[in-house]
Amino acid sequence: IGAGFSLGRATNYCALVGDEFVTGKLLGAQALGLYSRAYQLMTAPASYFGQVLEKVFFVALSQRQSEPAKVAKYYLYGIELCSLVSVGGAVMLTVAAEEIVTVLFGSQWIDAAPAVRILGFGVFFRTCYKNSDTVIRALGAVYRLAFRQALYGAVVVFGSILGSRWGIE
């Protein structure tokens, strides 16, 4: 299980930095800086809320591995909680991108606002992804998780290459 967990972390890292690598290589340092700031705002709710949710759910799910109905019930509770937090954050990022960027990063980063607005649509999915990751690890399916992370990373890199035609937006 340790090797599968390590493989999953390695493929997850590649998936998380693949888009930034492509952005930096194909669009340059300025675009990478703007994209990094926008991505930072999109992942903040998932990172902070996801860490708390993970600590609570991982233990509960690990103890109930042999009870699929309870695991499914907890997973759905996690999705509900993610929805409560992330949908509001997504709407806020989408509607008030310029104001949020200006307050948090300063007016010199205002060019990141269009990317923040677009990435705002991904807040819910990013937050729920963390919940799914916790369930898979709690069930000990780390090799399946590593495979999914590798597939996710390939899609992210391929999508970034395709999307680079239109800049960071």
Side-chain angles (χ1 to χ4, degrees):
I1 290 183
F5 182 77
S6 296
L7 182 62
R9 287 290 183 191
T11 55
N12 184 27
Y13 177 76
C14 292
L16 293 176
V17 299
D19 53 346
E20 291 182 348
F21 177 77
V22 170
T23 301
K25 281 291 190 190
L26 297 180
L27 300 177
Q30 181 179 2
L32 176 59
L34 295 173
Y35 178 76
S36 294
R37 290 294 184 172
Y39 188 79
Q40 181 181 12
L41 287 175
M42 188 267 284
T43 60
S47 295
Y48 297 122
F49 184 71
Q51 288 172 0
V52 172
L53 195 63
E54 178 181 19
K55 289 181 188 329
V56 173
F57 276 147
F58 184 78
V59 173
L61 291 168
S62 296
Q63 293 172 346
R64 288 162 182 83
Q65 288 180 353
S66 61
E67 302 174 64
K70 285 194 177 183
V71 170
K73 185 177 175 181
Y74 286 176
Y75 174 73
L76 292 176
Y77 285 152
I79 296 295
E80 288 175 6
L81 288 172
C82 288
S83 298
L84 287 172
V85 171
S86 63
V87 171
V91 169
M92 190 180 308
L93 282 177
T94 304
V95 172
E98 289 86 2
E99 293 82 1
I100 292 170
V101 168
T102 302
V103 168
L104 294 178
F105 300 134
S107 60
Q108 70 271 24
W109 291 100
I110 197 66
D111 290 341
V116 169
R117 181 170 284 117
I118 293 166
L119 290 175
F121 288 102
V123 171
F124 169 75
F125 301 105
R126 179 72 181 163
T127 307
C128 290
Y129 153 81
K130 297 279 273 181
N131 188 37
S132 299
D133 181 58
T134 302
V135 172
I136 293 170
R137 285 187 306 103
L139 295 176
V142 291
Y143 289 103
R144 282 190 275 168
L145 177 62
F147 173 76
R148 289 179 182 150
Q149 292 290 356
L151 182 62
Y152 170 63
V155 170
V156 166
V157 169
F158 182 71
S160 298
I161 292 169
L162 283 177
S164 68
R165 295 178 177 185
W166 296 279
I168 62 169
E169 293 86 16

